[in-house]
Amino acid sequence: MGSLETERTTTGWAARDPSGTLSPYTYTLRNTGPDDVFVKVICCGICHTDLHQAKNDLGMSNYPMVPGHEVVGEVVEVGSDVTKFAVGEIVGVGCVVGCCRNCRSCDTDNEQYCLKKIWSYNDVYTDGKPTQGGFAGSMVVDQKFVVKIPDGMAAEQVAPLLCAGVTVYSPLRHFGLMGSGLRGGILGLGGVGHMGVKMAKAMGHHVTVISSSDKKKVEALEHLGADEYLVSSDTEGMQKSADSLDYIIDTVPVFHPLEPYLTLLKVDGKLILTGVINTPLQFVSPMIMLGRKSITGSFIGSMKETEDMLKLCKEKGLTSMIEVVKMDYINTAMERLEKNDVRYRFVVDIAGSKLDQ
């Protein structure tokens, strides 16, 4: 194993202002150390958060910014203390690339909740250099935040699992919702939602998709295997389904009322928020009190959960529904994503793209 002592440069596609338009950007990778893995990127999924960050929707973007946190690549070189990975292996990198390692969250394998976590991009690493994401030729990542991709899983299929997949898996696991026979709801049928349907069905749940229109009904029922489909504006249908669900995973990343969905929950039911929304949500307290219901949130998942989620997907044959694009299509893909015009996740073929033009 070679140790990584010198800085390298790579080319990615960066946003330079809140327009969110991406263009080629060559930069120096952060200094690497004995625990680092040098990864040549094969592909990277496009998450709705990439859109938020590129356009500064959350008011905390720093430019130039190379987005991308659903990264699959090949190990090119490893540091002298790396024990988990070898050159030539296919690995994944998700939303987080650093943590303090000594807080309660870190000590309990919940490093995604560490208050000092370091994001894959739009953050600053411990050496003071900005972090940049997976819409690039290569990355250097601490081995703790790299996961091995099980043999036989296609890189482009795995990429969305590293965010969308674990975002659904983590709350199902944490809240004890992995047993068969449960009745679950998936609110919103996008990148996260479609994986929610697949995972919940693989666990033996009766799954209801809840959407704002019937445009995706055939896909939900016939292609994804959902058991029922509810249109949120269908008052009669929503009333008939009241008090029927053990949980709802709410994947919607824009403002929406919560009360219509709280009525669907059984006593002790959980509404689990996973979408990033930058405006306050509202509800009246009796909607929760009169059923001992919970509104809670969940954010991606830990590295341990990511490993276990990938094993489950390999075992059950779960894959994401994707549209593969080249890097020169990235801005069009972001525009289409903003309009929800994708079934259900864009994945950028980094290895097959010319990054410098």
Side-chain angles (χ1 to χ4, degrees), residues 62-77:
N62 298 293
Y63 303 101
M65 176 204 304
V66 178
H69 58 238
E70 298 179 341
V71 188
V72 177
E74 179 183 352
V75 177
V76 175
E77 191 174 0

Side-chain angles (χ1 to χ4, degrees), residues 10-36:
T10 192
T11 299
W13 278 50
R16 289 171 167 81
D17 56 55
S19 71
T21 301
L22 305 181
S23 58
Y25 170 61
T26 298
Y27 54 97
T28 302
L29 295 173
R30 67 173 175 80
N31 288 326
T32 54
D35 287 312
D36 288 320

Side-chain angles (χ1 to χ4, degrees), residues 52 59 89 118 155 180 233 244 247 302 329 331:
H52 281 313
E89 290 185 327
I118 301 173
S180 62
S233 59
S244 66
Y247 67 87
S302 67
Y329 190 79
N331 290 307

